[in-house]
Amino acid sequence: MPIERIAILGTGLIGASAGLALRSHGFAGTITGWDPSALETRIALETGAIHCAADPAIEAALDVARSSDVILLSGPVFTILEWLDRLAPELTPAQLVTDVGSVKGAICARATGKYNMLEMAGFLPGHPMAGKEVGGAANADGALFENAAWLFTETKDTQGMSPAARTLANDWRAWTARFGSRVLDLAPERHDEVCAWVSHLPQYLATALSALLEDEFPSKEEIQAIGGRALREMTRLGSSPFSMWRDIAHTNTEAVAASILALEQRLQHLRENLKTPELREEFVKANLFRNGL
Amino acid sequence: MPIERIAILGTGLIGASAGLALRSHGFAGTITGWDPSALETRIALETGAIHCAADPAIEAALDVARSSDVILLSGPVFTILEWLDRLAPELTPAQLVTDVGSVKGAICARATGKYNMLEMAGFLPGHPMAGKEVGGAANADGALFENAAWLFTETKDTQGMSPAARTLANDWRAWTARFGSRVLDLAPERHDEVCAWVSHLPQYLATALSALLEDEFPSKEEIQAIGGRALREMTRLGSSPFSMWRDIAHTNTEAVAASILALEQRLQHLRENLKTPELREEFVKANLFRNGL
């Protein structure tokens, strides 16, 4: 049986984009949206990301979840952890929870013992490698997931989900492929390590660079006039919202700290070799990296 | 008298883009191109960036320069320094040399006593804040300078240029405005300091990040599959050619080293505060910077 009723808990950028992607790829069922902000669900409704907007009360979200086949948890990591706790006692083995959380180790650990076992709903941990430096349903885009990876981090735990939940999980995986995503599987630990390098490090780096320049140029006139594409590009992610990245910093701390420390050391090496042949080695390696990307 | 004959010494990305910009904005005179690589002048000729390609011999460049009103020096900083030395004894006060060099302190210092005085040609130090991560005439674009700053770093020295050279300098400044650039004046020392922050730091940072990831991911499969926009954007400048950035490292060493050190310290601060309220402060500052950009 394919998915008929989807609940999107969190109709911000990613949740509303998933709704738009579902509808633009022919999803024939019903999508109900819930968000702690009534404004977000209203925008999601107006843009057609959802068919129906639930009241912002928690109890309303639980009602929606109880009557859905698939519940998509979309929001910062701690919010997803809370929903995993709240929903577990409310659902049946014929239902599937899936998510878009940026850190998978903490999320998979929290689901253990609450999902994917006898009498419990299924949980399929997922993470689309897509986003923007601005959040909210108003910035949602049904094409956001095209050519992006959609990672799933199934484990021994998820092998225990009920046949009904597995059918829903396979159907959801097929939907993400229809969105134009590259569907990939990896272990939660490896997910968190790779994401520290390719996603979290670039973000914290852009934040550090932007904050440094804010201190260095309290008046913006000069930098507005002189700064070019390089500056704008390297600081674009400086606009990213704190809430999402606080949760990542708290739940992937070790891997993030290791990647930042490695970059500090690399910058120091480059700085100490501005006038030595080592500088060429760094450019050769950087060129090589880009050629392989 | 407006400019009639322009020599572009160095028909790579910036030189050939200037030729294309001149022609697409109605320059009615003659543009002769010279480059140490015959391939570069051939491409510049074929794409219409120049009317005439000189032989790659140094003597041919001197011939072209002698018979031009304006000589545009386009290339890495050390190459521009060499041309300033070579051209000075060959030219007359009715001629103007201008450049596109990325560091202005060293270039202005080298021109002192050789230009802008009795019997000497004029020299107008310039720097368009435009570029690409790939060089060469094949990547040239007549629209490259649109909405970019074109900086001039005139000093007491340049006040000494002959009236004929001043007329040519004013005409060249008008051309850069026609290209769609924001024409701005600042002191060479301030130029080098601001560029260390807004241009050189972003470049060396992208190089360090790319080189680090090259070491971290010797096999590219995983990173190709998982990496998204953030990764591609933050490492784009990793493709930049070493030759240009070696010269900048050598001629703006102090300011570049200071900006890299400041970023190292900022990253360390962020790393040590991944789980404290300081992280929010950094995001707030970064958001503020981007809002003001």
Side-chain angles (χ1 to χ4, degrees):
Chain A
M1 254 200 11
I3 304 168
E4 287 180 357
R5 291 158 303 167
I6 295 187
I8 299 178
L9 303 194
T11 61
L13 175 71
I14 302 294
S17 293
L20 290 171
L22 279 163
R23 295 190 67 184
S24 67
H25 290 88
F27 179 67
T30 308
I31 307 171
T32 304
W34 178 92
D35 199 274
S37 154
L39 179 62
E40 290 297 311
T41 40
R42 189 164 63 74
I43 295 170
L45 191 65
E46 282 169 8
T47 58
I50 57 177
H51 296 97
C52 174
D55 184 84
I58 296 283
E59 190 51 48
L62 295 177
D63 280 345
V64 171
R66 282 187 213 102
S67 62
S68 296
D69 302 316
V70 167
I71 299 101
L72 176 65
L73 305 181
S74 182
V77 176
F78 285 141
T79 306
I80 291 173
L81 294 177
E82 280 175 9
W83 280 115
L84 285 175
D85 289 348
R86 274 194 204 117
L87 291 174
E90 309 289 335
L91 305 178
T92 73
Q95 294 178 286
L96 178 79
V97 175
T98 186
D99 79 316
V100 299
S102 311
V103 174
K104 297 263 72 86
I107 286 174
C108 291
R110 188 67 72 95
T112 300
K114 298 192 183 77
Y115 292 86
N116 299 327
M117 292 167 71
L118 285 175
E119 304 303 311
M120 295 172 187
F123 175 62
L124 172 68
H127 178 208
M129 296 296 290
K132 288 187 181 179
E133 73 279 17
V134 284
N139 294 300
D141 177 359
L144 188 64
F145 310 112
E146 276 174 24
N147 300 314
W150 198 305
L151 308 176
F152 290 103
T153 59
E154 297 216 32
T155 58
K156 275 191 183 173
D157 281 3
T158 62
Q159 291 173 18
M161 72 173 73
S162 72
R166 174 52 66 192
T167 302
L168 294 168
N170 288 342
D171 198 23
W172 178 250
R173 294 172 67 112
W175 275 109
T176 64
R178 271 176 222 126
F179 298 167
S181 293
R182 294 184 299 279
V183 180
L184 296 170
D185 287 273
L186 73 174
E189 300 72 27
R190 182 62 184 158
H191 169 280
D192 290 356
E193 199 182 344
V194 173
C195 284
W197 289 104
V198 309
S199 166
H200 308 169
L201 176 60
Q203 173 60 56
Y204 293 113
L205 174 53
T207 297
L209 177 62
S210 301
L212 174 62
L213 292 171
E214 176 64 22
D215 280 353
E216 204 61 39
F217 294 87
S219 155
K220 293 289 174 306
E221 279 172 45
E222 209 170 21
I223 206 166
Q224 276 175 343
I226 296 175
R229 179 176 170 198
L231 176 74
R232 276 160 225 283
E233 192 173 58
M234 295 297 283
T235 60
R236 181 182 63 89
L237 295 170
S239 301
S240 294
F242 169 63
S243 56
M244 172 177 169
W245 292 97
R246 173 202 54 205
D247 291 9
I248 293 172
H250 275 262
T251 52
N252 200 22
T253 318
E254 215 171 304
V256 167
S259 72
I260 296 177
L261 177 59
L263 183 63
E264 289 167 43
Q265 292 169 336
R266 202 80 188 201
L267 284 168
Q268 182 187 345
H269 176 72
L270 196 147
R271 173 171 56 81
E272 290 172 347
N273 287 283
L274 285 173
K275 292 178 140 181
T276 83
E278 279 294 312
L279 187 67
R280 179 195 295 271
E281 296 307 310
E282 290 297 276
F283 272 80
V284 167
K285 265 192 188 165
N287 291 174
L288 205 59
F289 176 74
R290 286 293 305 189
N291 289 343
L293 207 59
Chain B
M1 257 203 3
I3 303 167
E4 288 180 358
R5 290 157 305 166
I6 296 187
I8 298 177
L9 303 194
T11 59
L13 175 72
I14 302 294
S17 294
L20 290 171
L22 280 163
R23 297 190 69 184
S24 67
H25 291 89
F27 179 68
T30 308
I31 307 170
T32 304
W34 179 90
D35 199 276
S37 154
L39 178 63
E40 290 298 310
T41 41
R42 189 164 64 74
I43 295 170
L45 191 65
E46 283 169 4
T47 58
I50 57 177
H51 296 97
C52 173
D55 184 86
I58 296 284
E59 190 50 49
L62 295 176
D63 280 343
V64 170
R66 283 188 213 103
S67 62
S68 296
D69 301 315
V70 167
I71 299 99
L72 175 65
L73 305 181
S74 183
V77 177
F78 285 141
T79 304
I80 291 173
L81 294 176
E82 281 177 8
W83 280 114
L84 285 175
D85 290 347
R86 273 193 203 120
L87 291 175
E90 308 288 337
L91 305 179
T92 74
Q95 295 179 285
L96 178 78
V97 175
T98 188
D99 79 315
V100 299
S102 311
V103 174
K104 296 264 72 87
I107 285 174
C108 291
R110 187 66 71 94
T112 300
K114 298 192 182 80
Y115 293 85
N116 299 328
M117 294 168 71
L118 286 173
E119 304 303 312
M120 296 171 186
F123 174 62
L124 172 68
H127 179 208
M129 297 295 290
K132 288 187 182 179
E133 73 278 18
V134 284
N139 294 300
D141 176 1
L144 188 64
F145 310 112
E146 277 175 24
N147 300 312
W150 197 304
L151 308 176
F152 290 103
T153 60
E154 298 216 32
T155 59
K156 276 191 181 172
D157 282 2
T158 62
Q159 292 173 17
M161 72 173 72
S162 72
R166 175 51 66 191
T167 303
L168 294 168
N170 288 343
D171 199 24
W172 178 251
R173 293 172 67 111
W175 276 108
T176 64
R178 272 176 222 125
F179 298 166
S181 293
R182 295 184 299 278
V183 180
L184 297 168
D185 287 274
L186 72 175
E189 299 72 28
R190 183 60 185 159
H191 169 280
D192 290 357
E193 199 182 344
V194 174
C195 284
W197 290 105
V198 310
S199 165
H200 308 169
L201 177 60
Q203 173 60 56
Y204 294 114
L205 173 53
T207 298
L209 178 61
S210 300
L212 175 61
L213 292 172
E214 176 64 22
D215 279 353
E216 205 59 40
F217 293 88
S219 156
K220 292 290 173 307
E221 279 173 44
E222 209 169 22
I223 207 165
Q224 278 176 343
I226 296 175
R229 180 176 170 198
L231 176 74
R232 276 161 225 282
E233 192 173 58
M234 296 297 283
T235 60
R236 181 183 63 90
L237 296 170
S239 299
S240 294
F242 169 63
S243 56
M244 172 177 169
W245 293 96
R246 174 202 52 205
D247 290 9
I248 293 172
H250 276 262
T251 53
N252 200 24
T253 318
E254 215 171 302
V256 167
S259 71
I260 296 176
L261 177 59
L263 183 64
E264 289 167 44
Q265 292 169 338
R266 202 80 186 200
L267 284 168
Q268 183 187 345
H269 175 72
L270 197 147
R271 173 170 57 82
E272 290 172 347
N273 288 283
L274 286 172
K275 291 178 142 183
T276 84
E278 279 294 312
L279 186 68
R280 179 194 296 269
E281 297 307 310
E282 289 296 278
F283 272 80
V284 167
K285 267 192 186 164
N287 291 173
L288 205 59
F289 177 75
R290 286 292 305 188
N291 289 343
L293 207 59

